[in-house]
Amino acid sequence: MHPDLSPHLHTAECNELITRLMHCHTEHNVMKFFGTCNDADRAMRHCLKKERLEKRERSKEHAQVMKKRLKGKPMEQL
């Protein structure tokens, strides 16, 4: 299963790959079941994985910053 493929959730690079895969699926209604669109699917999944890992890293960094910020202040100032 893929995550939500809405264009506003992804980079331009991944949106291009998603569009290419959707176009392949509409162009090859039956042949998609025999691997015709596998290259486009692999490229899209690779891009989505890269996005997910980048987002995960940004979230981790943000959590570390927030943790330091919260530990540095007394409870009265929060």
Side-chain angles (χ1 to χ4, degrees):
M1 254 341 253
H2 303 297
D4 186 6
L5 299 178
S6 299
H8 68 281
L9 297 175
H10 303 287
T11 61
E13 176 189 0
C14 288
N15 280 331
E16 174 63 33
L17 294 170
I18 291 168
T19 304
R20 197 177 309 160
L21 178 66
M22 297 299 178
H23 179 70
C24 183
H25 280 182
T26 56
E27 191 174 302
H28 304 286
N29 286 338
V30 176
M31 293 305 290
K32 67 182 177 185
F33 298 113
F34 298 105
T36 302
C37 302
N38 283 354
D39 292 334
D41 186 52
R42 274 190 215 101
M44 183 199 67
R45 283 187 286 125
H46 178 72
C47 186
L48 293 177
K49 181 178 181 179
K50 186 174 76 170
E51 274 187 348
R52 185 182 76 242
L53 293 177
E54 289 171 357
K55 183 177 179 182
R56 183 172 139 191
E57 190 61 34
R58 282 193 315 266
S59 178
K60 184 179 177 182
E61 291 170 2
H62 178 70
Q64 289 172 347
V65 168
M66 292 304 291
K67 190 174 184 180
K68 285 180 185 177
R69 190 174 134 204
L70 291 174
K71 281 191 173 186
K73 294 183 179 180
M75 288 299 284
E76 298 85 36
Q77 292 180 358
L78 295 177

